[in-house]
Every structure is written in structure tokens, then in C-alpha cells.
Amino acid sequence: MRIQLSDHFTYRRLLRFVAPSVIMMVFTSIYTVIDGLFVSNYVGKTPFAALNLIWPLIMALGAVGFMLGTGGSAIVAKTLGEQKPEKANEYFSMIIFTTILAGIGLAVLGLFVVRPVAILLGATSDMMPHCVLYGTITLIALPAFMLQNVFQSFLVTAERPKTGLFIMILAGITNICLDAFFIIGLDWGIAGAAAATSCSQLVGGVIPFFCFINKKKRSRLHLTRPHFNGRILLKACTNGSSELMTNLSASIVTTLYNFQLIRLAGENGVAAYGVISYVFFIFSGIFFGYSIASAPIISFHYGARNDQELKNLFKKSLTFLITTGMVLMTLAILSAPALANLFVGYDTELCEMTTHGLGVYGISYLICGINIFASAFFTALNNGAVSAAISFLRTFVFQIAVLILLPIYLNLDGIWLAVTAAELLSLFVSTFFFIIKKKRYYYA
């Protein structure tokens, strides 16, 4: 039976609705990690470190797509809840075409700054050509990457999460197959990894268009002639500012991680952190997938003034996130040796460093899901200011503070523990906002 945003959500119905998005985000993370797996094992440690060094630039530029997708889908879902489908389609279409224009402009900018940024990030002379080559090729597909991020949110809003899952699986298969073909078959090295990623992003960013062009297809949303509305676009950007901040902060913080790791552990430190980041992408994908999928439901019932359903969703979400966090923390600690060996088993010293880092870093999964959801929850309630405050403190202020302070006392362990310390501080902030805002939104 088709699940609609207007339904009452039991645990079973909620999990059935969010499952495609959770799987989609995990799968997206996995196929992103595939590049690193192939490069590390078939190209070398230096190109692998270079890939992880330049990736923050790609994510920083692509963060605009996350902002428009999450912020825009919150507005569109709320408008649907207010029984204004024509306006919802109008806003949706404007956001899609704005994403295309922004993607083209940012890709051009990125091509000009990729080398200076690589220098700024501390690339060595050996790493520099790999950084520039990987960055240049992936930037060409930046508009598609941004569209992929936007469509992930809107396919859920359109009540088509399974379609989004199918498209991401197709994109993932494309990436994996082309990685093997370009890197192993054609021996293209890091250029092959970048080309495979770009092709997969084209699949993820272009195919969804066909889901929204045909008005005869069963969907809450359809592409129409866009009408520019500066107020709505600004509201979408404000709503999604937390997601923009999350990704921009992650890029800056990753740069600081790399600086600290090069200082304390050299190239091995950057490579080890690359593996840890990949595992974090996969595990946190569950939390991000849940947040993306549940946000339109929350926005719809907020727009429909259905307070009882908001309370129901809030309670069930916290239960799911706490339980999942405990499971993921345990899994991360137990699987650390196997995961390290999978990526860097060819280097004993690096493998031991990575195993230890994975285990310590894994403690953060117990907490981070609640903070990720808190930011997305207030975005869904169209409160971009609170969402941005949680995200900014969590991903930037707290992370930078602990990254500077903890290594002074704990050396390399201070770096691995930094994210857990930042998440713990963020939990106090999330809890504070949950408490003071419940009288305004009636979710508890």
C-alpha cells in the first residue's frame, strides 16, 4: 500500500517510508568510498591521500545543492500540507533550475581555484598533480552532483522514495563498474576514479528529471515553467543554511584534521583519516537518510497543524536514533580491524594506526544521530535559524575547539576523540532547543 505524507505513522509505517532513503544514503556513501578503495589498493598511498585532501573542495562547492534540497523541500512539503499543490510545483521547479545555474557557476569557479586550494590545504609536491587532476575532472560534473543532492530530498517529498533508491543504486553500480574498468582495466589511475565518480553523478542527477517531467506519472510534484520568487528562494536558502553550514564546516574541519595529522603522523595520518571518514560516511548515512526521509513528513504535518502526529513522529524518531546509535557504536568498534585491513592492509604501520583510530572514533556514533536529526527537525519546521545554530556549533565551533585543544594533551588520540567531544557538546545544545521550542511547535 502506498504510504502518504498525510498518514498516521506507526513504527512499521515510518520505517517502511524512511527505509529507501536510509538505504539510498548508505549506498551513496558506499559508492563514494569505492573510489578510495580502488585508489588505495591499485594506485597507491600518495594518490589516496591526495584524493582525501582535495575532496573537501568538491564538497564545499556541492554544499549549495544540499542547502537548496533540504531547505526547498521543507517549503514545498509545508505548501503541500497547506493544500496548495500548484504553488508547491512552482517553488519546486524554481529550485531545480536555480540549482542548475548555481552548479555551472560554481564549477567554473572551482576549476580556477583547485590548484591554489590544494596548495593551501598542504599538498606535497608528490600529491599536487593527483589533487589537481582528480579535482578538475570531478568539478566538471558538479552541476549533476548538486542536482543529485537536491533530487534526493524532493523524491521523498513527492512520495517516491523507492524511485530515489533505484536511481542511487543505478548510480552506484555505474561508479563501481567504471572504477574497475578505468582503474584496473585501462590503468587510468586517479583520473579513472574521478571519471567514474563523474559518470555516476550524471546518472544520479539527470535521470530524476524524467520522474518529474511526465505529469501522468503518480507523483505529488511535477516540473512546470519556473517563476522566480526571491522571497521563497531566500527562505529555502535560510531553511537549508544548516545543511550548507554542515558541509562547509566539514570541509574546513577536514582541512584542519589534515593539518594536524600531517604534523603528528605525516602522510600516514591523512590516509588513516581518509579510511575513518569513509566509514563515518557509511554509518552516518543511516542518520542522514532517516532525517532526509522524515523531514517532509514533519513539514507536512506542521503545515497541516497536526500537533498529535508531530508528537508521535518526534518520540518515535528519538527512539530509533538512540537504538541505532548503540548498535552502530558496537559495530564500529568490533569491525575496526577488518575495515582497516580492507583499505590499507598492505602497510602494517598504517593499518594499525587506522584500526585504533576507527575504534576510538566509533564512540561518536552513539551521539551524532540525535544531533543530525535535531538540525534536520528544525529545518523541517521551517526554523532555519535554530537548525543553523545547531549545525554551526556542532560541525564548526566545537570541532575546531577540540581539534586544537585535545591533541595538545592526548597527541594523536586527541584527534580521534575530537569528534566525540564535539558531538557531546552539541547534544547539550540540541537538548536545549528541543526543550525551549516545544511550546511553540507542540511536538512534545
Side-chain angles (χ1 to χ4, degrees), residues 239-295:
N239 265 356
S241 59
S242 61
E243 280 66 30
L244 175 67
M245 184 56 62
T246 296
N247 286 278
L248 288 178
S249 299
S251 300
I252 296 171
V253 169
T254 298
T255 301
L256 181 56
Y257 265 104
N258 287 331
F259 274 129
Q260 291 281 54
L261 287 164
I262 287 175
R263 181 177 65 86
L264 293 173
E267 191 176 282
N268 274 0
V270 177
Y273 180 64
V275 177
I276 295 169
S277 297
Y278 288 153
V279 176
F280 178 78
F281 289 156
I282 296 172
F283 282 19
S284 66
I286 296 174
F287 300 128
F288 282 110
Y290 181 87
S291 300
I292 289 172
S294 61

Side-chain angles (χ1 to χ4, degrees), residues 211-219 221-224:
C211 300
F212 295 110
I213 290 175
N214 188 353
K215 293 186 177 182
K216 294 181 180 180
K217 289 189 174 182
R218 185 180 64 180
S219 176
L221 297 176
H222 302 286
L223 283 170
T224 61

Side-chain angles (χ1 to χ4, degrees), residues 67 142 296:
M67 175 185 70
L142 184 66

Side-chain angles (χ1 to χ4, degrees), residues 195-237:
T197 296
S198 298
C199 290
S200 68
Q201 289 168 351
L202 287 170
V203 171
V206 174
I207 290 181
F209 270 106
F210 298 99
C211 300
F212 295 110
I213 290 175
N214 188 353
K215 293 186 177 182
K216 294 181 180 180
K217 289 189 174 182
R218 185 180 64 180
S219 176
R220 273 189 174 267
L221 297 176
H222 302 286
L223 283 170
T224 61
R225 183 181 295 241
H227 298 281
F228 181 76
N229 187 320
R231 182 181 65 83
I232 292 298
L233 184 59
L234 179 61
K235 180 65 175 175
C237 293

Side-chain angles (χ1 to χ4, degrees), residues 48-169:
F48 178 56
L51 183 158
N52 289 292
L53 198 70
I54 201 62
W55 184 247
L57 171 64
I58 312 300
M59 289 302 298
L61 295 174
V64 175
F66 287 104
M67 175 185 70
L68 291 172
T70 54
S73 63
I75 291 175
V76 170
K78 179 175 179 288
T79 306
L80 289 172
E82 294 168 344
Q83 305 302 314
K84 300 175 183 177
E86 291 184 2
K87 279 292 182 184
N89 283 316
E90 187 178 303
Y91 299 157
F92 164 61
S93 302
M94 177 190 66
I95 290 168
I96 294 301
F97 285 99
T98 300
T99 302
I100 295 172
L101 294 176
I104 294 172
L106 290 171
V108 173
L109 173 65
L111 291 173
F112 280 103
V113 303
V114 61
R115 181 177 288 275
V117 168
I119 295 172
L120 182 65
L121 295 179
T124 64
S125 57
D126 290 335
M127 294 165 64
M128 180 61 71
H130 300 294
C131 288
V132 173
L133 183 58
Y134 187 87
T136 299
I137 295 173
T138 50
L139 281 168
I140 294 172
L142 184 66
F145 177 50
M146 290 172 58
L147 280 172
Q148 176 178 290
N149 297 331
V150 171
F151 280 130
Q152 283 181 1
S153 295
F154 278 114
L155 281 166
V156 177
T157 306
E159 298 176 349
R160 303 186 66 180
K162 291 182 180 179
T163 302
L165 173 60
F166 171 77
I167 291 171
M168 291 313 300
I169 289 176

Side-chain angles (χ1 to χ4, degrees), residues 45 265 268 272 344 346-355:
K45 183 168 66 176
N268 274 0
V344 292
Y346 53 81
D347 187 313
T348 303
E349 181 183 353
L350 176 56
C351 190
E352 290 177 355
M353 180 188 296
T354 305
T355 300

